Amino acid sequence: MDRAETQAPPEALTVVPLRHYGLWVGTAITLVILGLILKALATNPAFDWPTVGKYLFHPSIIRGLGQTLLLTVTIMVLAIIIGTIVAIMRLSPSRILNAFASAYIWFFRGAPALIQLIFWFNLSLIVREFSLTLPFVGTLFTIKTNDVMTPFVAAVIALSLHEAGYMAEIVRAGINSVASGQTEAAGSLGMNHRLILRRITLPQAMRFIVPPTGNETINLLKTTSLVTIIAVNDLLYAAQSIYARTFETIPLLIVVAFWYLFVVTILSIGQHYIEQYYGRSDQQQGASLGEMLKRAFRFGRMAQPA
Amino acid sequence: MTSKAENQARFGVPDNSMVFARGVRKSFGNVEVLKGIDLNVPTGSVACVIGPSGSGKSTFLRCINHLEEVSGGVLLVDGEFVGYDLRHGKLYEVNNKLLCQRRADIGMVFQSFNLFSHMTALENLIEAPMMVKGMSKAEAKEKAFALLERVGLSAKADAYPRQLSGGQQQRVAIARALAMNPKVLLFDEPTSALDPELVGEVLVVMRDLAESGMTMVVVTHEIGFAREVGDQLIFMDRGVVEERGEPREMIANPQSPRTREFLSHVL
């Protein structure tokens, strides 16, 4: 450095960048492919963009979208609750609880979602009716399985049990990621197991639980399209019902894909802010959620022009 | 509370004893880590425990608040077993609620601070008083501010542990333990994880506590602190108390060759 300064002022030196020929070739090929795709999208009549526009906000498509969102939210909430319980059982000192939780995860995560879905839908083949009978009182009530197990209920049960298998592993990994010293310190302050779990372990585990849970939610949103097979009126089913009649298959699939991508985008943005919220103790200055959002948006504006 | 008097008579616990140990043993599997420890810490006094790593001093400290269960012997805090009740000559394990109540009276300060990393300093201090003792938020906060003031960190109330230096974190951890009004404070190598220039600020707080009459059991490598603040010094080696005595005397003139050798390394 010293020598360079004595020979010439640094600003007088020209830097010749290394030529990345491979990069240029790669870029050129990518641009050509991109051009071909765009041309196909624009000129191939099968895509039929006006029809896409016509159905994008079609009432039955919007109703299907609502059903898909309802399914996703209901299943995810149930899966988080069941998964957390299974994870806590998995970490329990009781061998039986531990083995039960392991078996649960092995089975419900291992068996394909589609098979579980069809199984629950056909539960009446195993159990015809549910009834509550008490000695000396007699049968209090009886319900036919087929009356309870509507396609929607079957979808919710099957997919929440399946999803809970994944959530249990995510929650377990999160709880394990919290240093054991935290539990010891809480214990030495006289906090009991439940209090420690609720106030100390789980909140810290959240930072490790939230990102994969976001991924799971996005995954689940798309997995719910499987319910089409048991005739739940979700987004894909709504589109299928239309193109079965009109044969406008490709435009309607584009409509469906558009809505899935739209919701996934919204979810990804939401996930980003939730992650920031749970990572706040990592940041240099203490920040409330409000301050953090403000900072996040300012950062976003700065990043855009570049 | 007849059990307290009964214990005192039965085990010959001296009056005014806060921590009393007789023949305390602890094994992990086949390895016996503590081979019969005797100790009496009178209320208001400071006992310093020194010794090479692996001598069992931290394990003994963790036995006092039942973070580890003892395998044998008698270990009483304020005249009572922490994890058990003595009835009809048998030790009954106490339920969780009672264990938590007794632990709340025994403060502990850890080598690695163990501040709750998702909470600010203030939140760390008010958590247990509110959740365990049912103190109101306003009261807990008032007390927390007073304690932060006492350890010289009132300006850092809203800082998260990661934003604090090691010395500051350990001072918050001491304040957190004090927030529960413990009868006794256990220190597990409180300055061992600190940069040398940060050790002093923690020792100042500990000395201040000792002078205010807090009963303390301190596992430490700080011989200077043991000499100036300790009322008794215990040298542990390989699971036994090798030597004990008045700190100044013992440091100046150790009797056991093991003690002499150890002190020559750390002084």
Side-chain angles (χ1 to χ4, degrees), chain A residues 181-182 184-193 195 199-200 203-204 207 280-286, chain B residues 62 65 67 96 100 103-104 106 108 110 114-119 127-128 131-132 160 162-163 176 180:
Chain A
Q182 297 282 313
E184 285 187 355
S188 78
L189 288 166
M191 295 172 79
N192 62 36
H193 290 306
L195 203 54
R199 300 283 308 175
I200 308 299
Q204 293 189 59
R207 290 177 48 226
R280 69 196 185 283
S281 58
D282 273 348
Q283 283 158 3
Q284 277 312 302
Q285 283 148 10
Chain B
R62 293 161 62 85
N65 73 348
L67 273 180
N96 238 321
C100 287
R103 270 191 179 158
I106 306 170
M108 184 145 185
F110 299 84
N114 295 350
L115 287 179
F116 304 136
S117 62
H118 60 308
M119 296 181 180
E127 178 69 16
M131 291 291 154
V132 178
Y160 283 98
R162 249 166 267 242
Q163 298 153 356
R176 179 177 67 178
M180 293 299 280

Side-chain angles (χ1 to χ4, degrees), chain B:
Chain B
M1 286 294 129
T2 52
S3 67
K4 197 164 154 178
E6 201 182 308
N7 286 341
Q8 271 182 329
R10 185 176 180 133
F11 303 113
V13 183
D15 281 345
N16 202 27
S17 167
M18 182 50 79
V19 178
F20 178 80
R22 207 175 71 193
V24 170
R25 297 177 174 278
K26 172 69 186 172
S27 304
F28 291 105
N30 290 328
V31 186
E32 194 167 43
V33 185
L34 300 178
K35 301 169 182 167
I37 305 291
D38 295 333
L39 177 71
N40 177 43
V41 184
T43 303
S45 75
V46 177
C48 291
V49 184
I50 58 170
S53 52
S55 59
K57 51 195 196 307
S58 282
T59 306
F60 176 66
L61 201 70
R62 293 161 62 85
C63 284
I64 297 178
N65 73 348
H66 207 67
L67 273 180
E68 305 283 358
E69 284 173 38
V70 299
S71 316
V74 174
L75 185 46
L76 306 172
V77 175
D78 199 16
E80 286 191 287
F81 289 91
V82 175
Y84 310 92
D85 271 332
L86 182 68
R87 289 198 300 268
H88 320 301
K90 284 182 188 160
L91 285 179
Y92 289 86
E93 250 182 51
V94 298
N95 63 29
N96 238 321
K97 199 178 162 198
L98 201 55
L99 176 63
C100 287
Q101 266 176 29
R102 292 187 187 165
R103 270 191 179 158
D105 286 339
I106 306 170
M108 184 145 185
V109 176
F110 299 84
Q111 181 177 357
S112 47
F113 329 133
N114 295 350
L115 287 179
F116 304 136
S117 62
H118 60 308
M119 296 181 180
T120 63
L122 183 70
E123 286 165 349
N124 264 279
L125 262 66
I126 63 175
E127 178 69 16
M130 281 169 61
M131 291 291 154
V132 178
K133 290 199 162 170
M135 202 182 272
S136 76
K137 189 166 186 177
E139 194 186 350
K141 267 187 164 177
E142 198 186 316
K143 186 157 189 215
F145 276 120
L147 283 167
L148 284 174
E149 177 89 55
R150 185 168 175 189
V151 298
L153 286 172
S154 36
K156 297 287 185 185
D158 293 324
Y160 283 98
R162 249 166 267 242
Q163 298 153 356
L164 299 173
S165 74
Q168 290 170 334
Q169 286 189 54
Q170 193 60 297
R171 280 145 67 196
V172 173
I174 294 172
R176 179 177 67 178
L178 289 174
M180 293 299 280
N181 278 336
K183 295 175 187 168
V184 53
L185 259 187
L186 312 175
F187 291 85
D188 188 7
E189 302 198 23
T191 56
S192 297
L194 296 178
D195 291 338
E197 80 268 23
L198 301 178
V199 169
E201 61 187 70
V202 173
L203 292 183
V204 165
V205 170
M206 288 169 63
R207 179 192 295 256
D208 169 60
L209 270 176
E211 279 162 9
S212 75
M214 173 62 76
T215 313
M216 293 162 52
V217 182
V218 186
V219 169
T220 186
H221 290 299
E222 295 294 325
I223 302 295
F225 177 82
R227 178 167 46 206
E228 283 153 45
V229 181
D231 295 302
Q232 60 173 319
L233 183 62
I234 291 102
F235 173 65
M236 275 179 70
D237 191 29
R238 296 174 196 158
V240 295
V241 174
E242 178 78 18
E243 187 172 351
R244 69 177 80 224
E246 202 281 319
R248 279 163 205 275
E249 229 166 78
M250 191 171 140
I251 291 164
N253 187 20
Q255 300 301 308
S256 147
R258 293 280 314 153
T259 317
R260 207 171 305 138
E261 193 195 334
F262 178 77
L263 285 175
S264 74
H265 286 308
V266 292
L267 277 178

Side-chain angles (χ1 to χ4, degrees), chain A residues 19-43:
Chain A
R19 304 286 199 265
H20 298 280
Y21 297 108
L23 201 62
W24 294 354
V25 173
T27 309
I29 293 174
T30 310
L31 285 175
V32 169
I33 294 174
L34 204 61
L36 289 175
I37 292 174
L38 284 175
K39 180 168 174 280
L41 284 174
T43 59

Side-chain angles (χ1 to χ4, degrees), chain A residues 113 117 159 162-163 218-227:
Chain A
L117 202 58
L159 292 183
H162 175 67
E163 190 59 40
I218 289 169
N219 224 339
L220 176 66
L221 174 77
K222 295 172 292 169
T223 306
T224 56
S225 62
L226 288 180
V227 302

